[in-house]
Amino acid sequence: MSRTPEAIPRISLTWLLVAQVLVILPHLIHLPLWIVFLWLGCAGWRIQVFLMRARYPNAWIKLGLLLGTGFGVFFSRGSLIGLEAGSVLLIAAFILKLLEMRSRRDALVLIFLGFFAVVTAYLFDDSIVSALYSLLPVTALLAALIGLQQTRFAERPWPTLRLAGGMLLQALPLMLLLFVFFPRLGPLWTLPQPGDQAVTGLSDSMAPGDIAELSQSGALAFRASFDGEPPPRQQLYWRALTLEHFDGRRWSQSPAAHLPIAPRWERKGTPLQYSIVMEPSQRPWLFSLDIGETSLDRARMMNDFRLEYYRPVDRSLLYRVVSWPQAVREPQLAGGQLRRALQLPETGNPRTREWAEALKRQYPQPDELAQALLAHFNREPYVYTLKPPLAGADGIDEFLFDTRRGFCAHYAGAMTFALRVAGIPARVVAGYQGGEYNPSGRYLSVHQFDAHAWVEYWQPGKGWVSADPTFQVAPERIEQGLEQAVAEEQSFLASSPFSPLRYRNIGWINQLRLTWDRVNYGWQRWVLGYQGEQQLEVLQRWFGRIDNGVLAVVLVGGGGLMLSLLALLLFKPWRCEHDPQQRLFLRFERLLARHGLRRRTGEGPRAFAERASLALPAQAEAIRGFVQVYEAQRYGGQKASPATLRQALARVRQGLPWRLTRAD
Amino acid sequence: MRTKLEDCLQAVNQVLLGKEAQVRLALTCLLARGHLLIEDLPGMGKTTLSHALARVMGLSFQRIQFTSDLLPGDILGTSVFDKDTGQFVFHPGPIFAELVLADEINRATPKSQSALLEAMEEGQVTIEGATRPLPEPFFVIATQNPVSQGGTFALPESQLDRFLMRLSLGYPAKAAEKALLLGESRREILPRLDAVLDHAELAAIQQEVTRVRASDALVDYVLRLVEATRSQPQFAWGLSPRASLALLAAARAWAFLAGRDYVIPEDVQAVLPSVVGHRLRERADPTGHGGGALVQWLLTEVAAV
């Protein structure tokens, strides 16, 4: 019984170091740089230890490293708690553990830590690329795990890797099975999401420059796939939220928009059915065409018809929507709402006020007035541009009468302002317009540069009506998209020259981009989005009507069945010893095995007892006594008496210190 | 009775120094009514061992030196015409002794070899139509020289199978050899050895040995061993039922010598190398000398319990 811990085999160490690199690599985007040097130092040290050129660090050095790392994390992340600091700490621990990896047990700890670190990488990136990549570190960790079981003298690392790969492949069917059937439990707690990932997207207030900035981003906002053909592009107004409060410069969401009052509306016309996979936006709004109802759990319609999730969307979200484009929206409006939809700052933009009041005298009907405004934008030489001149204090005045250059936010803001001056309740709607149709995947991708603002005005009896002044100025923006609208000034994605979206006119690049986009969409929709209702839906399609209760019973039953089959296979009860004598002898063997004495296959009981007596001289008599009784009963023709055998075994056990596991 | 057997062993050990294990196996072979093949270089004490055994067991001893011109008649005996009676009178050959030492058995032609081996197997000889029983007990110790193979007729496997055991004496240990060199000549000690057992006692012991208990579990172990030789790929061929009988008989005698009236797996293991070694061949080398490595494999890999 050797007391020195068993050294870690060469192959295992090799694979462990490889696995560490692979595990840490995807984390590098959010790790401080010194982690790399920490790893280099620790790995170098551990290799020197393996080559017997260095010793393991002593307690003081370890304490110093621990404190140093702790301070390092605190200074680079400003905290020791939270997801980011936590993941840095995890990786640092994963690295530092190298320096006290003496025995197999330590190596096991390190390997399991590695598996955990692989999983935490998903918190930062759950795309298909990173998921496929994570197979690499998992294989390397498996190889290290297998390497631990090999002798210290095995030289070639490749067979180990091949075995690990084979095992991973064998696990594939089980993985698929679990993926399809395993119930997705709701989170028991939620982690604060990584905050440094600035997400571009709509915000709850809009100054004229905001949307221009957004239109520089080629990031994906969401994807939508329709049941059947999608409606024409000029009808694709994706509502996110409404901006009702104007402070003279900036439009923002009114505080009342958060009140949980459901709006009144009537379904009319034919509905559109589609599903949306939304990218993380860190905002609670969901996107839908007017007026959308969703079956998503814990999402509801707020009083400005926007759909809101119960918390900010911080990971991809799949939901289904039924939209009623011809619905009548709030034919009656309450006093408070009316006031909010007519709110204006006390002063500012005098020329616009004057002009709007003149128009009101000319066109007393709200509809006529709105048409007149739109006609004005159409008729006068307005220019749609992403590079408008900077606005002064009376921004709307300058825009309407001097510069006449701007984009959707300018037009929508100016028109809403004019409508309000004329006493017509109106508001700015922020959202997205259009989207890129992927013909092979039959879905629409809506990017950040599709962000748009338009106008909604209200008339008694008719409710809210949408109007888009931008369409009057630059119909190509609505009909073909931003790229065409700003083709002349070449400002489309000017700040990201490498975005593949800029090269849509090059056929094969575009084809490649669309295909890749489609793969990503499939991943999000069918892999990441496969949970909750969608899972239930798929299972129902396969197995007919099934509810959660039945599913739970089936799952628990199936799991139980599988576990018991596994148990049968592992423990092989049919091979269990029925002979009480033999059972007791097996117990005797197990007892001694715990003390490092294992009977060899060809070793007879007496020879084994002699060997054991030499190793455990204090128990020699009891051990010999047991074997004598056993021999006499088994070979000597003495009457079988398990009781005497048991007594003899008890005598052996009495003298031995208690041990649970085998001493290896 | 057992003390007498111990006395026998002690007496033989006085003559053949430092070879306790081989002497015990040889005695085991005798008690199991088997014949013994000793394979060794000349001058290692083969004759001394046989002679000493014969003396202490009180057996009549004959030695036949096998040569290439030895005829079956030289072993079995011949009828010679007697002028006085006018009849053929049978002159028994050296085989009609209780312990026969067939020295360098592989020097004789197969014809002469088989004359001896048939006698060993049948316990009787048939000469000129008359069947004559051999004495009881009847014990053959054959020796052969494994090194000088020129002009020899190696025993075929079928003949080897008739020997219960094959032993090899080997060089003595240093201390034993020193004692040998300093002590009296063996030739002088041998005649002084007294018989410890008489015929009746030996017969009784041999009878007793057959009654040593071999339990079900033990027989299962023997079967596992035999089965392994028949099923494992490294064996050129498996053990015959005669071999399994021999194994059990030898194990019984060994257990009896150890003072037990039942056989345990260790008894089987103790006799296994000498009982099955000459009956096994490796598949890779079917004409080779024997299965030392195979026996080791059997000892370590076949479950004993």
Side-chain angles (χ1 to χ4, degrees), chain A residues 66-271:
Chain A
L66 192 69
L67 288 177
T69 312
F71 279 120
V73 173
F74 188 78
F75 284 121
S76 53
R77 288 291 172 264
S79 153
L80 282 179
I81 46 176
L83 177 66
E84 283 164 75
S87 62
V88 180
L89 275 180
L90 175 72
I91 298 291
F94 182 50
I95 292 169
L96 286 179
K97 183 77 190 164
L98 263 185
L99 286 185
E100 55 168 21
M101 190 175 67
R102 289 165 188 265
S103 64
R104 290 192 173 190
R105 191 188 151 277
D106 296 329
L108 278 179
V109 169
L110 197 64
I111 289 169
F112 292 137
L113 211 56
F115 281 123
F116 189 66
V118 170
V119 175
T120 54
Y122 291 139
L123 291 175
F124 296 91
D125 187 0
D126 56 7
S127 71
I128 184 167
V129 179
S130 66
L132 287 177
Y133 171 84
S134 63
L135 290 179
L136 285 182
V138 167
T139 315
L141 285 168
L142 272 182
L145 198 58
I146 295 167
L148 269 190
Q149 320 299 327
Q150 290 174 334
T151 69
R152 311 180 49 184
F153 307 107
E155 284 285 337
R156 290 167 47 233
W158 301 116
T160 315
L161 187 67
R162 205 173 314 136
L163 184 59
M167 285 168 80
L168 210 61
L169 280 183
Q170 285 167 15
L172 215 60
L174 188 66
M175 195 183 85
L176 287 178
L177 211 69
L178 286 178
F179 173 78
V180 174
F181 290 102
F182 198 79
R184 308 301 199 270
L185 303 172
L188 297 178
W189 69 93
T190 49
L191 276 172
Q193 283 297 303
D196 63 340
Q197 280 189 317
V199 173
T200 50
L202 292 173
S203 74
D204 58 1
S205 70
M206 178 187 83
D210 292 352
I211 287 189
E213 213 170 276
L214 212 51
S215 59
Q216 292 298 329
S217 162
L220 189 71
F222 61 92
R223 296 190 181 94
S225 51
F226 285 85
D227 303 354
E229 284 299 305
R233 201 186 153 87
Q234 51 267 38
Q235 289 176 22
L236 295 173
Y237 281 86
W238 306 97
R239 171 189 288 256
L241 73 161
T242 55
L243 307 171
E244 285 182 307
H245 184 80
F246 186 56
D247 66 355
R249 207 187 126 61
R250 177 172 278 278
W251 289 92
S252 53
Q253 204 177 15
S254 79
H258 299 288
L259 297 175
I261 307 165
R264 285 185 305 267
W265 58 289
E266 289 166 29
R267 293 188 179 83
K268 226 171 149 185
T270 46

Side-chain angles (χ1 to χ4, degrees), chain A residues 5 212 334 362 480:
Chain A
Q362 199 177 344
Q480 288 165 313

